[in-house]
Amino acid sequence: MTTITRFAPSPTGMLHIGGARTALFNYLYAQRNQGKFLLRIEDTDKARSTQEAVDAILDGMSWLGLEADDAPVYQGERAARHAECAEALVASGAAFRCYVTPEELQARREEGEAIRAAAKADGISEDERQALRAKAEPLLAPFRSPYRDGGNPPPGNPAYSIRLKAPEGTSITVHDEVQGEISIASSEIDDLILLRRDGTPTYMLAVVVDDHDMGVTHVIRGDDHLRNTFRQIPIYKAMGWGLPAFAHVPMIHGDDGAKLSKRHGALSTTAYREMGYLPEAMNAYLLRLGWSHGDQEIFTLEEAANVFSLEAINKAPARLDIAKLNDVNAHFIRQCNEDRLMELLIPWLTEAAEDELDNDTIRRIRIALPTMKDRGSTLPELAESFRFFWTSNADNLNKKARKALSGDSLDRLALLRQTIANTAEWRDTALQHELESFCSVHDLSFGQVGPPIRAALTGGLPAPDLAPVMEWLGRDETLARIDFHLARAENPSD
C-alpha cells in the first residue's frame, strides 16, 4: 500500500510556523516511505477564506521546498460529494434529519448555564444544590437530538440539518502514533452535524470524506485536532471505511512555556523569509521542534527524509527559540553556495546602502563573501557587515576611530602608506608580510599600527583582518581612503 500524507490548511490567514512544521512532517514521512504528499485547501468557510491566503500558503510551501506530488485539492469544490455521503448515512440509518433549530439549542444551553449558576448561589441547602446540578447536567451534556430515533418533523416542511447518530454505551479509541492509545466514552460525543440547514457540509464530514477519497493513509496534524478525531472515527465506521493511522503532534510553545503568540515570534512563514532567513534553515529548525534523531542537530531535507519517523516525535510541546533559529540560519549561510548567497544578499545590500551599489563595489563584495560568510546570522546582518565597503569616508567616525586617526598614529599611517604603495603583488599574503615588516623595521607592535589603518579603511566599522580588507578594496581604493584621512588631518576645516 502506498503511503499517502496530506497537509490541509484553512486559507483564513498566512501559513504560520506551526502549520509549516505540520506540512514538513507530512512531507518527510511520505518521502521516507516512498509515498505521496498531498495538499488540500480547506476553504469551506467561505466567509473567512481568501484567495490572498491561498496564495500565501502556496508561496510559503514553495519557498520551503515542500512541493505536493499532485495539484492542490480545494475542499469547497467537493460539496456535492460531501452531501452525497451525508445522504448515504441517512439511508443506512447511521445519520438522521434533525429539525432542532439553532435558537432552540441556544436556549437549551442558556437554561443549563442559568441552572448551573443557581447551584453555586449562597443560601441554598446541599440537597437543593445537588438537585440543580442534576437538572443542569443533561442540558449542558453533549447534545442528543430528539429525532435520532425517528419522530415526525414539525409541520410546515421546516429546514433540517443532517446529524450523525453518536454511538451509545461504548468507548471510542484512537491508536495514535505519537500520543499512544487514548479512549473516551462515547457519551462525550454529540450527535454532530454533517450537513447544515443550508445544505453545506461541516468540517467534520468534509475532512473524513476527503481523506478517504484522496487515499490518505496517515493523518499527521497538531494535537489540537485530537478531540476532532474522536468525533470523526464514528463517521469512518458508519461509512464502512477503514481508518487511517493518526499522529497528533504537540503544539509549539513560546520560550516561556505559554501558548505561542506573536510576542514569541509566531510570525507567518514568509515573514521569516522577509527577515532574512533561508528556507533550509527554517526546515532544519522546525524539524527539531518536536523531533530528534540521535546526536545530529542539523539536517537537510534529504538527510531528514532518510531517517524521519513518527515514533521519534516528542510528546511534550516544543519551545520556539529565536536564538537557536539564528544559530541554525548562520550554519546554512556558511554552507550556502556563494553565487546563490550573493543573489540573496543584493536586496539587503541595497537596503543597507540606501542606494544601488555600483558594479565595482558588488564585485569586491563577491570576492570577499567566502571569508565574510560567518559575520551574520541573517541576511540583513550579513549585508550590514559589508558596510565598510561603501562608507569608510563618512564624517560620523566613532570615537575610537577618531582617536586612532590623531597624533603619532597619523605619522605611522603616513609611513605605512608609503610602504604598501610599493607592494608588488596586491594580495593579502603579500600585504600581511608588508605590515609585519613595517612593524619590525620601526620597532612597533601591531597594536600601534593596526588601529589607524583600520580606522582609515573602514571608518571604525567592524571588519576582518586588515590584509584581506586591503586586497578586497584594491590598491587604488585603499590608498585613496588613507589619503583622504591624511588630507583631512592636514586641513581639518575641509
Side-chain angles (χ1 to χ4, degrees):
M1 179 179 67
T2 301
T3 296
I4 299 177
T5 66
R6 52 72 162 174
F7 176 52
S10 298
T12 55
M14 301 294 110
L15 176 63
H16 288 266
I17 59 171
R21 187 190 63 168
T22 298
L24 174 64
F25 284 3
N26 277 279
Y27 173 86
L28 291 174
Y29 192 74
Q31 291 285 310
R32 178 74 174 87
N33 293 281
Q34 294 80 49
K36 295 179 69 174
F37 168 62
L38 305 179
L39 175 64
R40 183 172 70 238
I41 305 296
E42 298 194 334
D43 56 349
T44 52
D45 187 348
K46 298 301 182 184
R48 299 175 59 218
S49 298
T50 67
Q51 186 59 46
E52 179 184 11
V54 172
D55 294 341
I57 290 168
L58 297 177
D59 181 37
M61 297 281 287
S62 178
W63 178 62
L64 292 171
L66 307 179
E67 301 288 357
D69 291 301
D70 291 340
V73 171
Y74 289 86
Q75 194 170 67
E77 297 175 357
R78 292 176 44 79
R81 168 62 174 159
H82 304 147
E84 172 190 314
C85 291
E87 294 293 350
L89 289 171
V90 172
S92 71
F96 59 94
R97 293 180 175 86
C98 178
Y99 299 90
V100 177
T101 67
E103 293 77 17
E104 290 171 331
L105 286 173
Q106 180 65 23
R108 179 177 183 265
R109 281 192 295 270
E110 290 175 355
E111 181 185 359
E113 289 167 358
I115 295 172
R116 183 169 60 183
K120 297 178 181 179
D122 296 331
I124 62 173
S125 69
E126 187 59 31
D127 287 345
E128 289 173 315
R129 196 182 309 280
Q130 292 297 333
L132 287 170
R133 288 173 178 168
K135 186 177 179 181
E137 184 176 345
L139 296 173
L140 297 175
F143 179 64
R144 290 290 189 274
S145 171
Y147 296 96
R148 63 181 274 126
D149 296 316
N152 295 321
N157 194 29
Y160 59 84
S161 60
I162 292 181
R163 291 180 179 268
L164 185 73
K165 188 182 295 185
E168 292 274 75
T170 185
S171 62
I172 302 171
T173 300
V174 175
H175 301 277
D176 194 270
E177 300 287 336
V178 175
Q179 307 293 337
E181 185 174 296
I182 308 171
S183 298
I184 66 169
S186 58
S187 59
E188 295 184 41
I189 303 300
D190 60 346
D191 287 345
L192 64 93
I193 296 177
L194 303 176
L195 281 189
R196 301 181 184 91
R197 288 157 62 88
D198 63 2
T200 59
T202 61
Y203 165 81
M204 293 297 172
L205 174 66
V207 166
V208 171
V209 174
D210 291 346
D211 280 344
H212 172 266
D213 289 359
M214 293 168 68
V216 173
T217 60
H218 293 75
V219 174
I220 306 168
R221 56 190 178 188
D223 63 4
D224 54 330
H225 285 283
L226 182 57
R227 180 75 181 179
N228 290 338
T229 303
F230 290 108
R231 303 181 76 197
Q232 291 163 3
I233 285 175
I235 301 177
Y236 279 100
K237 291 184 176 180
M239 290 296 296
W241 295 337
L243 297 176
F246 291 102
H248 290 90
V249 182
M251 306 299 285
I252 302 173
H253 287 182
D255 55 6
D256 57 0
K259 183 179 179 181
L260 195 61
S261 65
K262 286 185 178 180
R263 69 184 174 88
H264 297 110
L267 304 171
S268 69
T269 306
T270 49
Y272 288 95
R273 175 180 62 189
E274 292 159 6
M275 291 161 61
Y277 292 93
L278 303 184
E280 55 267 44
M282 286 303 301
N283 281 328
Y285 179 68
L286 291 175
L287 178 63
R288 294 309 306 270
L289 285 179
W291 179 87
S292 60
H293 179 77
D295 296 328
Q296 187 169 344
E297 287 288 329
I298 296 177
F299 292 79
T300 65
L301 273 183
E302 293 74 17
E303 290 170 339
N306 289 328
V307 296
F308 184 81
S309 68
L310 299 177
E311 294 79 9
I313 296 175
N314 300 326
K315 291 184 178 181
R319 294 195 178 193
L320 182 66
D321 183 344
I322 297 299
K324 180 62 176 177
L325 171 59
N326 287 342
D327 289 342
V328 174
N329 201 57
H331 167 84
F332 280 99
I333 285 177
R334 293 192 297 270
Q335 299 296 315
C336 190
N337 171 274
E338 278 90 17
D339 289 336
R340 175 188 170 222
L341 184 57
M342 191 68 199
E343 184 178 350
L344 293 171
L345 268 180
I346 291 295
W348 296 104
L349 290 167
T350 301
E351 182 174 322
E354 299 180 356
D355 198 1
E356 294 286 342
L357 295 175
D358 61 73
N359 291 335
D360 195 42
T361 301
I362 293 293
R363 178 187 60 79
R364 292 171 180 169
I365 290 173
R366 174 63 181 85
I367 293 171
L369 187 57
T371 302
M372 296 279 287
K373 286 165 73 172
D374 63 350
R375 301 184 74 84
S377 60
T378 63
L379 293 175
E381 280 187 12
L382 181 57
E384 189 64 29
S385 73
F386 289 98
R387 180 172 289 276
F388 69 87
F389 276 83
W390 64 82
T391 60
S392 69
N393 292 339
D395 290 330
N396 58 342
L397 298 178
N398 61 38
K399 183 178 180 180
K400 186 176 180 180
R402 287 197 301 271
K403 182 178 180 181
L405 291 170
S406 63
D408 292 343
S409 294
L410 276 174
D411 296 334
R412 297 186 194 110
L413 182 61
L415 286 173
L416 180 60
R417 191 255 188 235
Q418 296 175 15
T419 299
I420 63 174
N422 298 318
T423 300
E425 182 185 13
W426 198 265
R427 304 285 293 178
D428 61 347
T429 50
L431 290 164
Q432 183 64 33
H433 176 72
E434 293 289 356
L435 291 173
E436 292 170 356
S437 295
F438 180 84
C439 290
S440 177
V441 168
H442 294 279
D443 195 23
L444 298 168
S445 69
F446 195 75
Q448 295 173 295
V449 174
I453 191 168
R454 181 177 294 278
L457 297 183
T458 72
L461 295 170
D465 292 343
L466 286 174
V469 169
M470 288 190 286
E471 179 182 353
W472 299 333
L473 293 176
R475 187 191 303 268
D476 292 344
E477 179 68 14
T478 296
L479 298 179
R481 292 189 179 196
I482 295 173
D483 290 342
F484 175 88
H485 290 286
L486 291 175
R488 172 182 279 187
E490 293 178 5
N491 301 284
S493 62
D494 289 353

